[in-house]
Amino acid sequence: MTAQPDASRDEAVIAALVAELGERTVLAGPDRPARNESDWSTLGPQAPLAVVRPATTEAVAAAMRICARYGVPVVPQGGLTGLCGGARPVPGAVALSLERMTGIEAIDPASATMTVRAGTPLQVVQQAADEAGFLVPLDLGARGSCAIGGNASTNAGGNRVIRYGMTRDMILGLEVVLPDGGTVTALNTMIKNNAGYDLKHLFIGSEGTLGIITRLVLRLFPKPACTMAALCALPDYDAVVGLLAAARRGLGPMLSAFEVMWPDYWETVGDMPGVRVPLPQGHAAYCLVEAQGTDEAYDAPRFQAWLEQQAEAGLLADAVVSRSMADVTAFWGVRDACSEFPLVLGPHEPFDIGLPVATMDAYVRACKAALAGRLPGAFALFYGHIGDGNLHIVAGLKGAHPQPKDVIQEVVYGLVREFGGTVSAEHGIGLTKKPWLGHVRSEAEIALMRRLKAALDPDGMLNPGKVV
Amino acid sequence: MTAQPDASRDEAVIAALVAELGERTVLAGPDRPARNESDWSTLGPQAPLAVVRPATTEAVAAAMRICARYGVPVVPQGGLTGLCGGARPVPGAVALSLERMTGIEAIDPASATMTVRAGTPLQVVQQAADEAGFLVPLDLGARGSCAIGGNASTNAGGNRVIRYGMTRDMILGLEVVLPDGGTVTALNTMIKNNAGYDLKHLFIGSEGTLGIITRLVLRLFPKPACTMAALCALPDYDAVVGLLAAARRGLGPMLSAFEVMWPDYWETVGDMPGVRVPLPQGHAAYCLVEAQGTDEAYDAPRFQAWLEQQAEAGLLADAVVSRSMADVTAFWGVRDACSEFPLVLGPHEPFDIGLPVATMDAYVRACKAALAGRLPGAFALFYGHIGDGNLHIVAGLKGAHPQPKDVIQEVVYGLVREFGGTVSAEHGIGLTKKPWLGHVRSEAEIALMRRLKAALDPDGMLNPGKVV
């Protein structure tokens, strides 16, 4: 690493990047787009030294090599929709955006695989699969903006993990540029490949700290022929656990979502304009169960029969079942209403924790009690992908400016540690959750993460200060 | 690493191991069991310096630390059923067998997880899940002998990967002893956990070269309520690809196996005593399709209807459908008859390659032609888990002693490279496939594997010379 004074080093690296990649690819000074200064976290903007937007793997590798040579760190960027600051520039770093590296390279219908460039928005990937007669089951609210490479770097989750798994489970191969500018092309297209270490897992979910994902091979799935859903009210949390077990057994691999909403959530959403809540308040828990089938003639009556069995078994206090896709969409409207919480609730702290399923309700009760003790008058809504052990929380103190963020985090994450959960089920660590990583990962685990980081990026050139 | 003369170092390390772990755990000299000298590969026996059989994670870590201190390498051993020499001792090494570290530690029905010690035989794990009302879908012929830790270390496959994935996909958490004797306990029980790097993937499939797996958290699945199967004869390979696509669409996630047998295989098995082959010879390909359902009343007629649709679409030349579990078992008898090949065919070379599904038949034809050219009179049978891109081959020259192993491997692996496949779909690399790793992994990939090995095991203490 050359030890030059910063200003001249900054000028030199920009000049070298422009010389190698051209002015269209390297935006510095007043040409830097404001959008590359932040992601969807609450950290606020941080201007990068320059924004580099390569359109090929070779150009990504060249940019990385030049930056490494000058000792200037690189922050990889996809769609900038991350919630934890993983793609936010760090001071003095070059932002390397994959936004121009887009497009579907190949679809192999026989192997059911798609090769795609990392900057391609998820929605474009979904549409290309759909047109080829397949499904890319990864889906999240940011689908129009987020990039598939960012989904891989953060191991994005979403609503149908219970059936299809996380992004990790949908990836067969990767191409990656390493912190030293070397390229590892491992675009495997086979479901089974045990020839040596499976390197892709090192880069999936490591939030751009070990390499820059440039291309991916995705696994394609058959499109479901029909979707059935039910909204259920349950008498207690034991019934939730019972209903989940019954759904796993009775719906088997058709089970595509198992979302639970606690009463405070239901009441808040019920007051929101435009949301139709089809079951009354006052129940202990509410659950959205969804199944995807291959033949409506068989699967719709089976879903109905399964639901009736659960009612007979005493697991349901009340329930409505979908009669059409419009019903399914309306049911999801109740669950997706949380995207309007910033408008409805005002400032608050959002959480994305994980817990063993059996302990969730005890956690919720402990968390509400602790918040009430530490912050009288605080609100806390609980909901999430309970079938996957993933609980979302929004908590805050109405009217407080600033919000008592530290106290809320202490309560939520302190109890997560106590209950054996995780501080991040699907959003990652980035910058914002880094102080809490030690709550749920042991010293030995964090030391091993650091050892991997040192092995791949000894000079800290790639996304420094993130995750570990 | 202490540089002592070997004989005294050997005595010293054994004395240190006995002092720390006791005589029952450390078997040296004439007490070393012969079974620990080899696995199911054809490499033949190699006596280890000693066999250490710790019963706790702490004892595994202590053994590893002592061996590292004396510079004596360690070869981890599970059930010793691997086919590539991954668990075979290397000269001068201590064999560290997990055979006494057995037992189920916990089952959590709400989260559908099981915590188990690494030396537990797969069959014991399967039975414990079954008794708790769940399924461990990993299944292979060696189930009675292989250890679940070995399954994880080799990322074992098996018959139902198309539905449930490889062993990797069934593991939520791991505990591992590192080459320096440190322990990393990451016994995660949640499906979603994005708190930092997902360290388990480093150890799954790396064949005991990066760490010794001591405990695992497995994901449990619901038991299927019914199983339907069909044996089909197909007019050509295009029909195979068409039937696979139709099975993915029409059977969806119920599809639990898609096994293809080429004509030579069918004819050979048809001549074997005790095997009932229910379709005549002379077709281009034979396929075993299996689906697992949740309700026989719905799923059996649906499977039958699906099969009739495929016949009407012209994809089937002939077919038989199961009417009972006895039929399903008999159909699998045709596919599993390959386990008798050593008796029926005499000496031969077995292969476990992977290929993109669309190219498989072209590969088979090229391979047969090349073998006929290089070795007139050679036989070659092709069959495998085609839905997962996994092709097995047995090839040989009848009556030849020794077999022309090098020529056969050159032909098979040379064409694998040409067709963009893998030299190991499920058996791993170990020692026997190491010379061929460069056929299907680039220099950059192998360099990155070596970098990981150096980062975790700089002194080459753990399973040296294996994989990379």
Side-chain angles (χ1 to χ4, degrees):
Chain A
M1 212 189 304
T2 334
Q4 296 178 35
D6 274 3
S8 71
R9 186 190 68 173
D10 291 354
E11 276 175 37
V13 73
I14 291 169
L17 287 165
V18 171
E20 176 79 24
L21 302 168
E23 287 191 341
R24 199 185 149 208
T25 299
V26 184
L27 305 176
D31 294 341
R32 289 170 297 178
R35 72 178 284 275
N36 297 83
E37 294 181 0
S38 58
D39 58 11
W40 287 6
S41 69
T42 53
L43 291 170
Q46 165 67 51
L49 180 59
V51 176
V52 181
R53 304 188 298 185
T56 64
T57 302
E58 293 68 31
V60 173
M64 190 69 236
R65 270 196 304 274
I66 290 166
C67 290
R69 195 192 314 142
Y70 285 88
V72 171
V74 168
V75 175
Q77 295 187 331
L80 292 163
T81 61
L83 295 166
C84 300
R88 180 174 177 266
V90 295
V94 161
L96 193 153
S97 169
L98 280 293
E99 66 200 85
R100 285 175 60 223
M101 198 162 161
T102 57
I104 313 295
E105 295 198 341
I107 291 179
D108 176 350
S111 290
T113 60
M114 174 195 280
T115 307
V116 60
R117 298 192 190 111
T120 313
L122 173 58
Q123 197 161 15
V124 173
V125 174
Q126 291 172 333
Q127 281 165 358
D130 186 69
E131 282 160 24
F134 288 97
L135 175 75
V136 165
L138 177 64
D139 194 31
L140 32 145
R143 69 184 70 81
S145 312
C146 65
I148 188 71
N151 298 144
S153 296
T154 56
N155 187 31
N159 286 333
R160 293 186 176 88
V161 171
I162 197 168
R163 169 147 173 188
Y164 298 101
M166 304 283 278
T167 304
R168 182 186 301 281
D169 303 300
M170 305 171 196
I171 295 177
L172 293 174
L174 282 185
E175 179 180 73
V176 177
V177 170
L178 298 179
D180 62 9
T183 302
V184 178
T185 303
L187 292 170
N188 168 63
T189 61
M190 288 158 289
I191 291 174
K192 295 168 87 165
N193 189 347
N194 274 346
Y197 304 166
D198 197 344
L199 299 169
K200 64 175 176 281
H201 292 294
L202 210 50
F203 304 103
I204 300 170
S206 55
E207 304 184 42
T209 61
L210 300 178
I212 304 169
I213 296 172
T214 49
R215 290 192 291 166
L216 309 88
V217 180
L218 300 177
R219 200 174 162 175
L220 300 177
F221 291 77
K223 286 189 212 183
C226 56
T227 303
M228 293 75 61
L231 267 178
C232 310
L234 291 94
D236 51 38
Y237 189 73
D238 284 350
V240 172
V241 175
L243 189 67
L244 174 60
R248 283 185 176 133
R249 271 197 313 272
L251 303 172
M254 293 199 303
L255 179 65
S256 52
F258 193 91
E259 304 286 317
V260 175
M261 294 153 275
W262 271 257
D264 287 351
Y265 177 98
W266 194 261
E267 287 153 26
T268 302
V269 167
D271 293 338
M272 284 167 63
V275 181
R276 193 176 63 85
V277 172
L279 294 171
Q281 296 182 5
H283 293 289
Y286 298 86
C287 182
L288 171 58
V289 185
E290 187 195 73
Q292 294 180 336
T294 52
D295 189 334
E296 191 158 17
Y298 291 94
D299 291 322
R302 149 187 293 193
F303 185 78
Q304 174 84 39
W306 173 81
L307 198 68
E308 284 160 13
Q309 280 163 26
Q310 307 324 312
E312 282 159 29
L315 294 176
L316 306 181
D318 201 350
V320 281
V321 64
S322 64
R323 299 282 165 202
S324 64
M325 269 314 288
D327 286 347
V328 174
T329 306
F331 292 176
W332 275 103
V334 180
R335 173 61 181 80
D336 291 339
C338 58
S339 64
E340 303 298 321
F341 281 169
L343 293 172
V344 175
L345 300 173
H348 62 264
E349 280 299 297
F351 296 92
D352 158 48
I353 65 168
L355 289 162
V357 174
T359 67
M360 274 207 191
D361 194 52
Y363 175 91
V364 169
R365 279 182 280 118
C367 192
K368 281 171 81 86
L371 281 172
R374 296 281 301 270
L375 295 169
F379 64 87
L381 312 185
F382 299 83
Y383 60 103
H385 321 292
I386 305 309
D388 315 313
N390 184 185
L391 183 68
H392 292 305
I393 309 173
V394 294
L397 193 59
K398 257 212 164 122
H401 297 285
Q403 283 285 306
K405 186 174 153 169
D406 293 348
V407 176
I408 298 173
Q409 289 187 347
E410 269 170 47
V411 168
V412 168
Y413 292 139
L415 286 166
V416 163
R417 174 157 61 178
E418 208 173 289
F419 278 77
T422 176
V423 296
S424 180
E426 58 183 7
H427 296 168
I429 294 297
L431 272 179
T432 60
K433 292 194 181 177
K434 210 176 139 189
W436 306 100
L437 187 60
H439 264 47
V440 292
R441 290 302 194 98
S442 65
E443 275 177 39
E445 289 175 277
I446 293 172
L448 182 53
M449 292 182 207
R450 293 215 172 105
R451 210 197 290 195
L452 290 171
K453 174 68 174 171
L456 268 75
D457 187 14
D459 299 321
M461 287 295 98
L462 198 52
N463 220 1
K466 308 287 177 70
V467 186
V468 285
Chain B
M1 212 188 310
T2 335
Q4 296 179 36
D6 274 5
S8 72
R9 186 190 66 173
D10 292 354
E11 276 175 37
V13 74
I14 291 168
L17 286 166
V18 171
E20 175 80 24
L21 302 168
E23 287 192 340
R24 198 183 149 208
T25 299
V26 183
L27 305 176
D31 294 340
R32 289 169 298 178
R35 71 178 287 273
N36 296 83
E37 294 182 358
S38 57
D39 58 10
W40 286 7
S41 69
T42 55
L43 291 170
Q46 165 67 52
L49 179 59
V51 176
V52 181
R53 304 189 296 186
T56 64
T57 301
E58 293 67 32
V60 173
M64 189 70 236
R65 270 196 304 274
I66 290 166
C67 290
R69 193 191 314 144
Y70 286 88
V72 171
V74 167
V75 175
Q77 295 188 331
L80 292 162
T81 61
L83 295 164
C84 300
R88 180 176 177 267
V90 296
V94 161
L96 192 152
S97 170
L98 281 291
E99 65 199 87
R100 284 176 60 223
M101 198 163 159
T102 58
I104 314 294
E105 295 199 341
I107 291 180
D108 175 351
S111 290
T113 60
M114 174 195 281
T115 307
V116 59
R117 298 193 190 109
T120 314
L122 173 58
Q123 197 160 16
V124 173
V125 174
Q126 291 172 333
Q127 282 165 357
D130 186 68
E131 282 160 23
F134 288 98
L135 175 75
V136 165
L138 177 65
D139 195 32
L140 31 144
R143 68 184 72 80
S145 312
C146 65
I148 189 70
N151 299 145
S153 296
T154 56
N155 187 29
N159 285 332
R160 294 187 176 89
V161 171
I162 199 168
R163 169 148 173 189
Y164 297 101
M166 306 283 279
T167 304
R168 182 187 300 282
D169 303 300
M170 303 170 197
I171 296 177
L172 292 175
L174 283 184
E175 179 181 73
V176 177
V177 170
L178 298 178
D180 62 8
T183 301
V184 179
T185 302
L187 293 170
N188 168 63
T189 61
M190 289 158 288
I191 291 174
K192 296 168 87 167
N193 190 346
N194 273 345
Y197 304 168
D198 197 344
L199 299 169
K200 64 176 176 279
H201 292 293
L202 209 51
F203 304 100
I204 300 170
S206 55
E207 302 184 44
T209 61
L210 299 179
I212 305 169
I213 296 172
T214 48
R215 291 193 290 166
L216 310 89
V217 179
L218 300 177
R219 201 174 161 174
L220 301 176
F221 291 77
K223 287 189 210 182
C226 57
T227 303
M228 295 75 59
L231 266 177
C232 311
L234 291 96
D236 50 38
Y237 189 73
D238 285 349
V240 172
V241 174
L243 189 67
L244 175 58
R248 283 185 176 132
R249 270 197 313 272
L251 302 174
M254 292 198 304
L255 179 65
S256 53
F258 193 91
E259 304 287 316
V260 176
M261 295 152 273
W262 271 258
D264 287 352
Y265 177 97
W266 194 260
E267 287 154 26
T268 302
V269 167
D271 292 340
M272 284 167 63
V275 181
R276 192 176 64 88
V277 172
L279 295 170
Q281 296 182 5
H283 293 288
Y286 298 85
C287 183
L288 170 58
V289 185
E290 187 196 73
Q292 294 180 336
T294 51
D295 189 335
E296 190 157 19
Y298 292 95
D299 292 322
R302 148 187 290 190
F303 186 79
Q304 174 84 38
W306 173 81
L307 199 68
E308 283 162 12
Q309 281 164 24
Q310 308 323 312
E312 281 160 28
L315 293 176
L316 305 181
D318 202 349
V320 282
V321 65
S322 63
R323 299 282 165 202
S324 64
M325 270 313 288
D327 287 347
V328 174
T329 306
F331 292 176
W332 275 103
V334 180
R335 173 61 182 80
D336 292 338
C338 58
S339 64
E340 302 296 321
F341 281 170
L343 293 172
V344 176
L345 300 172
H348 61 265
E349 279 299 298
F351 296 93
D352 157 48
I353 66 169
L355 288 161
V357 174
T359 67
M360 276 210 189
D361 194 54
Y363 175 93
V364 169
R365 280 182 280 117
C367 191
K368 282 172 79 87
L371 282 172
R374 297 280 300 273
L375 294 170
F379 64 88
L381 312 185
F382 299 84
Y383 59 104
H385 320 292
I386 305 310
D388 316 313
N390 184 186
L391 185 67
H392 292 306
I393 309 172
V394 294
L397 194 57
K398 258 212 162 123
H401 296 283
Q403 283 285 308
K405 187 174 154 169
D406 294 349
V407 176
I408 297 174
Q409 288 188 346
E410 269 171 47
V411 167
V412 168
Y413 291 139
L415 286 166
V416 164
R417 172 155 65 179
E418 207 175 290
F419 278 77
T422 177
V423 296
S424 179
E426 57 183 7
H427 295 168
I429 294 297
L431 272 177
T432 60
K433 292 193 179 177
K434 209 175 139 187
W436 306 100
L437 187 61
H439 265 47
V440 292
R441 289 302 193 99
S442 65
E443 276 177 38
E445 288 175 277
I446 293 171
L448 182 52
M449 291 181 209
R450 293 215 171 104
R451 211 198 288 195
L452 290 171
K453 174 69 174 169
L456 268 75
D457 187 14
D459 300 322
M461 286 295 99
L462 197 53
N463 220 359
K466 307 288 177 68
V467 186
V468 285

